[in-house]
């Protein structure tokens, strides 16, 4: 009796290539079409775990935790200094859903920075703002503005002043 072989059903080539291209686990460097690149962990083709993202156009770099393609957890965002080209830390703190959320420090200049609570990229909750002129505001924030109880310490004044709601001066 002759043996006949049935031809195997083969999958299209693109299915195999697509399966090999899926990103899961630790990868070396992955480049995007626009020149951005990412080094770190992946899950289901999304950045997930520890990783470093560099945006080519702005030169910005984020190093920290990712969750399903978004910054989530602790991380540090840096931008290049326009004069020296070296990276300067802009924000160091907690993220949720690609937005600053929780405790963090935002640097606005060499002597001006905010440390405190964040919610959806806005200063919200208790925080302390250090100004270039030496003044310090410590108190409640809401929608990125001082709101509620707080205290303003003027650099040339030895006494702290209590602030009225919604104003710092």
């Amino acid at each position: 009796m002759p043996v006949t072989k049935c031809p195997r059903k083969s999958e299209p080539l693109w299915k195999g290539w697509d399966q090999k291209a899926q990103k899961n686990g630790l990868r070396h460097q992955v480049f995007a079409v626009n020149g951005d690149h990412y080094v770190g962990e992946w899950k289901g083709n999304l950045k997930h775990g520890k990783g470093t993202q560099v945006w080519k156009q702005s030169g910005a770099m984020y190093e920290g935790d990712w969750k399903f393609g978004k910054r989530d957890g602790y991380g540090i965002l840096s931008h290049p200094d326009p004069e020296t080209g070296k990276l300067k830390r802009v924000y160091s703190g907690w993220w949720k859903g690609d937005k600053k959320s929780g405790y963090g420090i935002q640097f606005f200049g060499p002597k001006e920075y905010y440390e405190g609570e964040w919610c959806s990229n806005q200063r919200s909750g208790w925080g302390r703002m250090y100004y270039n002129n030496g003044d310090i505001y410590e108190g409640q924030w809401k929608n990125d503005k001082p709101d509620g109880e707080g205290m303003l310490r003027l650099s040339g004044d030895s006494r702290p002043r209590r602030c009225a709601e919604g104003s710092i001066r």
Side-chain angles (χ1 to χ4, degrees):
M1 179 182 270
V3 178
T4 59
K5 287 188 175 180
C6 295
R8 282 191 205 167
K9 275 195 169 182
S10 63
E11 288 186 345
L13 289 175
W14 68 267
K15 282 196 175 185
W17 296 335
D18 187 53
Q19 194 171 12
K20 288 178 184 174
Q22 293 295 312
K23 294 179 260 331
N24 271 313
L26 183 62
R27 292 280 175 151
H28 292 287
Q29 216 161 29
V30 177
F31 286 87
V33 175
N34 63 4
D36 297 350
H37 64 275
Y38 173 79
V39 178
E41 299 171 355
W42 295 83
K43 182 176 183 181
N45 237 13
L46 295 171
K47 299 167 197 155
H48 193 84
K50 302 267 183 216
T52 302
Q53 169 81 38
V54 177
W55 290 271
K56 183 180 179 187
Q57 187 175 1
S58 65
M61 181 176 90
Y62 171 79
E63 189 172 9
D65 298 327
W66 294 84
K67 197 171 192 180
F68 300 113
K70 296 186 179 189
R71 293 173 283 195
D72 201 303
Y74 185 81
I76 298 168
L77 179 65
S78 304
H79 287 274
D81 186 305
E83 296 167 10
T84 65
K86 292 183 179 178
L87 286 174
K88 281 179 28 179
R89 186 176 292 184
V90 174
Y91 177 77
S92 176
W94 293 90
W95 299 79
K96 184 143 182 95
D98 227 20
K99 294 183 179 181
K100 298 171 201 159
S101 191
Y103 180 81
I105 301 172
Q106 171 87 37
F107 299 92
F108 299 100
K111 295 181 182 177
E112 190 167 81
Y113 63 96
Y114 169 82
E115 65 174 318
E117 298 172 28
W118 293 82
C119 185
S120 296
N121 275 348
Q122 294 188 337
R123 294 173 279 193
S124 187
W126 193 261
R128 189 178 298 141
M129 180 72 194
Y130 296 86
Y131 295 95
N132 278 332
N133 64 2
D135 293 353
I136 301 169
Y137 171 76
E138 182 176 357
Q140 292 290 329
W141 292 78
K142 186 176 182 184
N143 297 328
D144 225 23
K145 293 184 170 95
D147 184 68
E149 288 191 31
M151 185 169 36
L152 177 65
R153 294 184 214 152
L154 301 174
S155 61
D157 198 356
S158 60
R159 304 178 312 187
R161 297 181 186 206
R162 196 174 171 98
C163 298
E165 249 183 70
S167 69
I168 62 168
R169 296 197 186 244

